[in-house]
Amino acid sequence: GVAALVTCVITVLLFQFVYKPAMAKKRIREGVALIRKPGVPPYQRSQDFQEAERLFRIVDEDYAKDYIPGYNAYARAYFDVKEYEYSYQKLKTAYEIKPGAVETLNNLGYFYARIPEDYYQARYASLVPPDKKEPTRDSRLDIAIRFYNHALTREPSNITALYGIGNTYMYQGRYFEARQYFENILKHDRDSVVGHSGLLNLFIERDSFQEVATLHSRIKDRDILEDLEPALLAKLAWYYLSKKR
């Protein structure tokens, strides 16, 4: 009887804490793949979105209620295929479920930092930041920084938030402040690819040749050059090619 009881308990625990989370992740991955499917005609894209949302409901009803990683994964996928309204709704719901989730706060920062300016101006009234009750005339970049700062309040060394604020300040032309955030990343991790990438991009944007060359040399010495994003390496190459001297 004891053996049977122990077996039953173990089975229930495995089902609840191993099988269900694994299936939730699997279904979310399948949904994200449908959203991101390339080269899909408009009529089929709508069908793919419907199927993705069906998988999302299965996760919510059968495997993990209010699954925050699922909301964030779908939000980023929708954003990447320029379905901004879908992305916003997922982030808004995730924030309402758990306002202090750092992943959601960072994704809200990313959303407002990267959404096209003309789209934001046209839709700002319907894109009310989840931490506000009414539309705000704050710039989208100021809203992005606010959400990243909310994340840093909860995790002061969160690399995603530090990088996000640094990038947002750079978009605003506030280069000195941006540099401080990228350097803060390197204080936490001297070999951080993210921190070095942020600084290198900043120096290229400022057309600071000496700092670009010095940092490039440092990155090579740390043997992390090949870990940089291809787009940044291409930008660095074109930067050098633009210098005739």
Side-chain angles (χ1 to χ4, degrees):
V2 170
L5 179 61
V6 170
T7 301
C8 181
V9 170
I10 290 175
T11 301
V12 170
L13 291 175
L14 287 174
F15 180 77
Q16 191 69 29
F17 297 105
V18 178
Y19 176 78
K20 279 190 171 183
M23 289 302 296
K25 290 179 182 179
K26 182 174 184 293
R27 293 289 181 249
I28 292 299
R29 284 197 301 270
E30 292 171 356
V32 167
L34 284 169
I35 295 169
R36 293 182 183 276
K37 189 188 296 184
V40 178
Y43 74 90
Q44 187 177 335
R45 167 159 289 192
S46 176
Q47 294 174 356
D48 287 340
F49 287 175
Q50 290 178 17
E51 177 61 16
E53 289 300 322
R54 187 185 72 83
L55 292 171
F56 193 91
R57 288 193 297 272
I58 290 175
V59 171
D60 191 63
E61 294 169 3
D62 297 340
Y63 300 123
K65 183 69 175 175
D66 296 336
Y67 187 53
I68 297 298
Y71 280 98
N72 281 283
Y74 268 51
R76 181 60 70 90
Y78 279 130
F79 188 94
D80 290 344
V81 297
K82 298 181 172 56
E83 294 289 345
Y84 302 123
E85 292 286 348
Y86 285 109
S87 179
Y88 169 78
Q89 290 301 327
K90 291 298 183 191
L91 291 173
K92 183 174 183 292
T93 303
Y95 184 87
E96 291 170 352
I97 293 170
K98 191 176 180 180
V102 172
E103 182 185 10
T104 303
L105 294 171
N106 279 333
N107 274 320
L108 280 163
Y110 182 93
F111 177 88
Y112 280 101
R114 301 297 182 93
I115 194 171
E117 182 65 31
D118 57 347
Y119 184 91
Y120 175 70
Q121 292 298 333
R123 300 294 185 91
Y124 87 96
S126 65
L127 298 176
V128 179
D131 60 341
K132 301 290 184 182
K133 294 182 178 180
E134 298 178 355
T136 173
R137 279 298 184 182
D138 293 343
S139 75
R140 61 182 182 81
L141 296 181
D142 288 333
I143 297 172
I145 290 172
R146 187 171 75 243
F147 279 116
Y148 282 131
N149 276 322
H150 287 336
L152 287 178
T153 299
R154 290 158 176 80
E155 291 184 11
S157 61
N158 187 274
I159 302 301
T160 301
L162 290 170
Y163 181 75
I165 293 178
N167 257 348
T168 306
Y169 278 146
M170 186 174 68
Y171 297 149
Q172 292 179 320
R174 298 161 67 177
Y175 296 121
F176 178 75
E177 292 156 290
R179 179 172 184 165
Q180 288 181 312
Y181 277 88
F182 295 139
E183 289 177 341
N184 281 342
I185 294 174
L186 296 177
K187 288 179 182 178
H188 294 292
D189 179 6
R190 295 177 62 187
D191 294 323
S192 171
V193 174
V194 172
H196 283 101
S197 296
L199 273 181
L200 185 60
N201 191 40
L202 176 66
F203 294 154
I204 293 173
E205 288 293 321
R206 291 183 61 191
D207 192 17
S208 179
F209 183 85
Q210 185 61 47
E211 290 183 302
V212 169
T214 301
L215 182 58
H216 180 193
S217 177
R218 188 193 315 164
I219 291 171
K220 286 176 62 180
D221 290 343
R222 293 188 178 280
D223 198 26
I224 57 175
L225 184 63
E226 292 184 358
D227 296 328
L228 269 59
E229 289 290 330
L232 180 57
L233 291 172
K235 186 174 184 176
L236 176 63
W238 280 110
Y239 179 74
Y240 282 139
L241 287 171
S242 71
K243 303 300 176 186
K244 295 180 179 180
R245 185 171 59 179

